[in-house]
Amino acid sequence: MSALDTQHCIPRRPHAWAAWLALSQLAVAIVWWRLGWPWGLPALLLSHALFLVPVFLPRATFYGPVLARLPTAERAAWLTIDDGPSDDTPAILDVLERHGARATFFLVGARAQARPHLVAEILRRGHGIGNHSHTHPQSRFWALGPRAMGREIAHAQQALAQIAGAPPRWFRSVVGMTNPFVSASLRRHGLVRVAWCARGYDAVDADPGKVLRRIGRGLRPGAIVLLHEGAPHGRSVEIVEATLRLLQREGYATVAPP
């Protein structure tokens, strides 16, 4: 696969949404003034939904560009593993080595600081790392304000750069949620937001068969596959290995962009 030019995925206009917000509320005010509340109230609710719904859609580009699939026609997949480093990391690295596979680990900054040797081992074995926030605030990431969001991304970037010797290039939002304040920090740090097109909900589902069926439905050339490590059910290593076997059966090579 040729080198990927993902520069276009770094946000160029991180505040463009603000102009759309102002225009939409002006339109609502005009509708309410001319047609009254029976039309104005639905217009107001619809305008708010247009800005709220993209927050919860991992591949939505309303608040900034996102890479959800590699631009290739080859049967290649980008394996991405979230939420580490964890107790599972060494075993997952062994599994990847047995299968001759490459992956990118999207790491939580605070967890990386606690286990820098695992970050170093990921890199030593030829895999990539990405920024997955500093504290992984799963229940409230979507609602973080500009300062809190900036700290989550910046602190993780700093922690990972200190351990790895170079800053990550990739960012994955927590639970895939992306609010209006993510893109400004991504632009500041030169980060590309990465989503996925194949996922198995392996962070919550301990049944490898169900996980693989979901991943299989999303497989296509250039697929970005989402997996996790350290899941509470304790079967993350098994699921990673089962996914690698699935990719091999389907004739997919694993690639990890630089």
Side-chain angles (χ1 to χ4, degrees), residues 83 86 88 138 201-206 228-236:
D83 296 354
S86 71
D88 291 336
Q138 182 169 325
Y201 294 92
D202 60 301
V204 294
D205 194 336
H228 297 81
E229 59 176 296
H233 53 63
R235 303 186 72 178
S236 294

Side-chain angles (χ1 to χ4, degrees), residues 212-235:
L212 291 183
R213 283 194 290 274
R214 296 187 190 109
I215 291 174
R217 288 196 290 268
L219 278 184
R220 56 183 61 87
I224 299 177
V225 181
L226 169 63
L227 293 171
H228 297 81
E229 59 176 296
H233 53 63
R235 303 186 72 178

